[in-house]
Amino acid sequence: MKLTKKTLHQRLNHTYDVVIVGGGAGGLSAAIYLQRYRLSCLVVEKGRGRSFWMQDLRNYLGLDPETPGRDLLQQGQHHALELGADYLMGFAEEVVDEGDTFAVRVKVGKKDSAYPVFRSKYVIAASGIIDRLPELDDMQNVYDYAGYNLHVCMICDGYEIADTRCGLFVNSEGNINTAFVLNWFTPYITVFTHGLFQVSDEMRHKLQEHGYPLVDQTIRRFLGENHEMTGVELADGSVVKLDTGLVAMGSHYYNEYLKGLDLTWSGQTLETDSMCRTSHPRLFALGDLKVGINQVSIAVADGTLAATAIWRDIRRASSPRRWDANLTKPIGVVT
């Protein structure tokens, strides 16, 4: 059931088996498996996550390489709803461990917001990350190219970058080191700091040794048309021509709602076991929120693992189902 502010009351007294925070590829995969395991789940989705902005799923087995990420999400949402999952557009603000259950407080609606609290035996954290982009006065200029040929993931899109003139956009000296991995795909790298920090003499020398230009000026705007970025115009009006770009400015992790729980963290990600279980036995983390590589295919597999682990827990704690009508009949007698 797709929940709204008008229908929230129908579920507030219901205890779900699982609340899934995040309706991306991992969260929807978990929802589909949970419902097929005959368990109940609620997916809470804030909207417009990382996979929504993927314009092409170029490395996902079985899909046309030009399939947009939003198509994958729409199909997954439809599938989960068909199987009986509940789905709510909202922002998870807090998860409280009540002992046998979790209480998940959600903000629903930007205006006249409602703050329902849902309860569940388990929680799956699949809320993911959003990549930081260069901040310009006109951010629409950035959005016109982000996810097209202005990439955010070298593992996903290194193939598309191969042997092109690539701009590497960074916000710290540490992120400049991405250039020395990116050169596996292309040596034609120009590093842009957008004037955000001072580059050390040591790093400048290292870039010079590799022949990679360093641009310290702020960026006025990206150039191009039809979502194909062809270069950048700098603050002084000069233009640097490019064929593609990679943004390496870090990410924001949507994990604030978990900070009140006693969990084992590794930076902004959660440590998990092989089934995506965190240090809390009834809380699981998927995809970008767990330690590991950030890939759609991995998030989908994580959803399968977490859902299966939860089903095993609940099944093992439940009484076996019996065919009572046949218990008093002699063995081998058929009526």
Side-chain angles (χ1 to χ4, degrees):
M1 177 180 180
K2 211 164 188 177
L3 299 179
T4 66
K5 278 200 284 188
K6 292 182 179 179
T7 58
L8 289 174
H9 65 279
Q10 298 180 34
R11 291 294 192 262
L12 294 181
N13 293 324
H14 174 69
T15 299
Y16 290 95
D17 290 308
V18 188
V19 167
I20 303 169
V21 181
L28 290 171
S29 172
I32 289 166
Y33 269 85
L34 287 166
Q35 292 298 138
R36 289 177 59 84
Y37 284 135
R38 307 184 74 181
L39 300 175
S40 65
C41 71
L42 166 66
V43 178
V44 179
E45 166 60 7
K46 66 183 178 350
R48 295 180 175 269
R50 195 186 201 197
S51 51
F52 177 87
W53 290 104
M54 292 179 183
Q55 306 304 326
D56 302 290
L57 291 171
R58 300 183 184 94
N59 53 3
Y60 194 99
L61 179 66
L63 294 181
D64 187 294
E66 295 183 356
T67 302
R70 59 185 175 276
D71 286 3
L72 179 75
L73 300 183
Q74 288 169 359
Q75 177 60 34
Q77 182 190 137
H78 177 72
H79 191 178
L81 287 168
E82 274 195 334
L83 290 168
D86 284 345
Y87 187 96
L88 174 66
M89 293 299 299
F91 190 90
E93 293 199 325
E94 185 182 25
V95 175
V96 176
D97 184 0
E98 298 181 321
D100 293 334
T101 60
F102 290 105
V104 183
R105 190 180 76 226
V106 180
K107 178 182 178 181
V108 181
K110 292 183 179 179
K111 294 182 179 180
D112 300 320
S113 303
Y115 294 88
V117 175
F118 298 95
R119 284 177 168 80
S120 62
K121 302 170 189 173
Y122 290 78
V123 166
I124 293 177
S127 43
I129 64 177
I130 194 69
D131 299 282
R132 295 189 177 96
L133 299 173
E135 293 189 11
L136 307 185
D137 290 338
D138 177 14
M139 284 305 296
Q140 185 58 48
N141 174 248
V142 184
Y143 302 145
D144 283 343
Y145 306 107
Y148 292 91
N149 70 333
L150 181 58
H151 306 287
V152 295
C153 176
M154 180 174 21
I155 293 175
C156 299
D157 300 324
Y159 182 87
E160 278 68 38
I161 294 171
D163 297 324
T164 64
R165 294 174 299 180
C166 181
L168 177 64
F169 303 93
V170 298
N171 61 353
S172 71
E173 181 155 314
N175 287 337
I176 293 179
N177 287 303
T178 303
F180 309 113
V181 182
L182 180 61
N183 62 16
W184 173 266
F185 295 101
T186 183
Y188 312 121
I189 301 167
T190 301
V191 177
F192 296 84
T193 69
H194 195 35
L196 295 174
F197 61 97
Q198 291 293 322
V199 179
S200 68
D201 291 339
E202 181 182 358
M203 180 59 76
R204 287 177 184 274
H205 180 67
K206 188 175 182 180
L207 290 171
Q208 288 172 359
E209 283 187 326
H210 286 75
Y212 305 156
L214 174 65
V215 178
D216 286 319
Q217 281 194 60
T218 57
I219 298 165
R220 180 177 294 169
R221 63 188 177 113
F222 287 91
L223 304 174
E225 58 183 13
N226 297 324
H227 302 297
E228 291 296 312
M229 187 265 295
T230 58
V232 295
E233 180 183 341
L234 302 174
D236 65 1
S238 61
V239 170
V240 180
K241 292 183 179 180
L242 300 169
D243 302 308
T244 187
L246 177 68
V247 179
M249 302 180 73
S251 306
H252 173 78
Y253 288 76
Y254 290 109
N255 58 17
E256 296 86 354
Y257 62 96
L258 298 170
K259 293 302 178 72
L261 300 172
D262 184 16
L263 301 170
T264 302
W265 296 85
S266 177
Q268 293 295 309
T269 56
L270 287 160
E271 294 187 7
T272 63
D273 66 11
S274 61
M275 298 299 285
C276 302
R277 194 189 305 263
T278 69
S279 55
H280 190 300
R282 290 183 293 107
L283 195 144
F284 291 72
L286 312 183
D288 298 328
L289 286 194
K290 61 183 263 292
V291 175
I293 298 176
N294 304 340
Q295 298 290 299
V296 171
S297 55
I298 291 173
V300 170
D302 286 346
T304 305
L305 291 170
T308 302
I310 291 169
W311 170 61
R312 287 175 178 172
D313 283 357
I314 293 174
R315 174 176 58 82
R316 289 166 179 164
S318 302
S319 299
R321 300 176 71 194
R322 300 156 63 94
W323 190 356
D324 292 333
N326 289 309
L327 290 179
T328 58
K329 295 177 182 178
I331 295 175
V333 175
V334 179
T335 58

